[in-house]
Amino acid sequence: MQDIYILGIESSCDDTSAAVLKNGILLSNVTASQAVHEAYGGVVPELASRAHQQNIVPVVDQALKRAGVEKEQLSAIAFTRGPGLMGSLLVGVSFAKGLARALGIPMVDVNHLHGHVLAHFIRESEDDHSQPPFPFLCLLVSGGNSQIVKVNAYNDMEILGQTIDDAAGEAIDKCSKVMGLGYPGGPIIDRLARQGNPEAYQFAKPNIPGYDYSFSGLKTSFLYSLRDWLKDDPDFIEHHKEDLAASLEKTIVDILMKKLRLAVKDTGIKHVAVAGGVSANNGLRNAFRDHAERYGWTIYIPKFSYTTDNAAMIGITGYYKFLDNDFCPIDAPAFARM
Ligand code: KG4
């Protein structure tokens, strides 16, 4: 059988990433992050696309070199088609098209969220057998999404529930921003929360039916409480940031786990995974471990480097679509929303 070499390309937000896989095993994964946004407290789309343009050639070049693979050996190019920032996506999509056309090889379009879920199938060696069995549930929590996904097969998944407003990561980032803590808020809140008391403050929790999430009420409740506390003590945030971070984190984790428990109960599926940028969070990881112990779940937590945006997850998703002969035409447009 001929070896299958896939080049994966990810450029949906503010990380330019390229990965090379051989028969579904990861050979390299190179990511250039963009520091340019830090001064603005959020990703500036126009700056992101410019940085992608500067990064894309050296990142792909590095990924091929580290893998020890010549571009002529590639079987296909997998790229993130959406969702994401249009200008950012266009850089990866256009590059993938140009290279695929030049090499005369097919392209595989990948939904970024599909990639986050299949991050659990990234294998660094032949003897890595820690992948979840089908079907499993996946809590997908990133800056733009909060979903409970039932994964039936590599290319067959259903969204059981999702946020009706803000995503969990978005709520954390926004609360961190109003506290003046910096961007992105996730890792900062995570670090502070470890030194704080999670029971110090209570914030509003949503009460919506089914498996759907909502985080905008929590965000508003956080803002209003903060406004009142600051009236009494202008240095309130400085004095209490650890407790604020711990209480905020706990509230978000509680909201996420409550719906996930319901989904586990109703589907009877006890293999439960977590994916997306927020899965780096220690409070959430601990809650998963706690649920594994308490309710007998078998849990799957990805390696840190595969939780945030990376091309390895795009490459592995591309590999399984390649095996299904699921290619896309050269005129496939990028989609900001999918
Ligand atoms: O998956 P991701 O890298 O990008 C999207 O596709 O959205 O997720 C980014 C999100 C941001 O909201 C970031 O603050 C959050 O993940 N995040 C965290 C942590 N690390 C990143 N949230 C909580 N705790 C963390 N340690």
Side-chain angles (χ1 to χ4, degrees):
M1 200 185 74
Q2 218 180 347
D3 289 327
I4 300 168
Y5 289 96
I6 305 280
L7 170 68
I9 294 176
E10 154 65 32
S11 74
S12 65
C13 189
D14 61 342
D15 291 307
T16 321
S17 185
V20 177
L21 292 84
K22 178 184 180 182
N23 300 325
I25 306 291
L26 186 69
L27 300 180
S28 66
N29 183 41
V30 176
T31 302
S33 304
Q34 304 178 357
V36 62
H37 309 287
E38 271 162 25
Y40 302 92
V43 176
V44 184
E46 181 58 23
L47 294 180
S49 39
R50 284 170 195 224
H52 281 305
Q53 275 187 321
Q54 287 176 344
N55 292 342
I56 187 97
V57 172
V59 164
V60 169
D61 196 44
Q62 269 296 314
L64 286 165
K65 282 206 178 97
R66 279 191 207 172
V69 170
E70 299 292 333
K71 58 184 184 305
E72 290 73 21
Q73 289 176 270
L74 294 173
S75 318
I77 300 179
F79 64 98
T80 304
R81 188 172 181 181
L85 299 171
M86 186 46 94
S88 293
L89 288 165
L90 279 175
V91 177
V93 172
S94 309
F95 183 88
K97 287 178 180 177
L99 189 58
R101 161 87 18 135
L103 296 171
I105 55 175
M107 295 195 304
V108 186
D109 60 328
V110 173
N111 178 319
H112 182 78
L113 302 176
H114 189 178
H116 269 306
V117 174
L118 292 200
H120 287 282
F121 296 93
I122 298 170
R123 294 166 68 204
E124 292 173 358
S125 73
E126 297 279 354
D127 356 290
D128 177 357
H129 299 291
S130 58
Q131 296 76 36
F134 299 115
F136 67 95
L137 295 179
C138 184
L139 175 68
L140 172 54
V141 270
S142 68
N145 292 86
S146 300
Q147 301 181 335
I148 297 177
V149 185
K150 178 169 172 254
V151 189
N152 301 314
Y154 296 113
N155 297 322
D156 173 13
M157 38 193 86
E158 333 162 27
I159 297 171
L160 299 184
Q162 59 189 320
T163 181
I164 58 169
D165 42 55
D166 287 0
E170 193 178 349
I172 298 176
D173 290 343
K174 286 178 177 168
C175 291
S176 161
K177 193 173 175 180
V178 300
M179 286 200 279
L181 295 179
Y183 166 85
I188 302 170
I189 295 286
D190 192 351
R191 183 167 42 78
L192 289 171
R194 278 183 250 177
Q195 301 148 42
N197 171 12
E199 309 294 340
Y201 306 106
Q202 303 294 320
F203 302 112
K205 287 187 183 169
N207 189 9
I208 49 169
Y211 309 114
D212 283 341
Y213 288 117
S214 165
F215 290 98
S216 75
L218 162 66
K219 189 184 64 188
T220 311
S221 143
F222 187 84
L223 272 175
Y224 280 27
S225 305
L226 211 56
R227 193 190 54 180
D228 290 344
W229 293 323
L230 283 169
K231 271 188 210 149
D232 299 332
D233 173 8
D235 296 326
F236 186 84
I237 296 174
E238 190 46 41
H239 293 151
H240 303 281
K241 56 180 190 289
E242 292 83 5
D243 286 350
L244 284 166
S247 304
L248 175 69
E249 181 182 281
K250 177 168 193 298
T251 311
I252 290 184
V253 170
D254 284 353
I255 296 171
L256 290 170
M257 296 312 288
K258 184 177 173 192
K259 293 296 173 86
L260 194 55
R261 279 196 302 275
L262 185 66
V264 169
K265 195 167 140 234
D266 292 353
T267 60
I269 298 170
K270 285 190 158 189
H271 289 275
V272 192
V274 60
V278 183
S279 65
N281 181 266
N282 281 285
L284 186 59
R285 287 176 173 236
N286 287 339
F288 260 71
R289 291 187 199 108
D290 172 64
H291 279 62
E293 221 167 89
R294 198 183 305 195
Y295 302 108
W297 296 6
T298 308
I299 54 167
Y300 303 88
I301 301 179
K303 210 172 129 177
F304 185 79
S305 48
Y306 304 139
T307 59
T308 51
D309 292 348
N310 66 86
M313 70 185 197
I314 304 304
I316 194 70
T317 309
Y319 173 71
Y320 286 111
K321 288 187 80 170
F322 182 97
L323 295 182
D324 277 357
N325 287 315
D326 190 352
F327 302 109
C328 84
I330 189 97
D331 59 355
F335 290 121
R337 294 187 162 273
M338 285 179 94

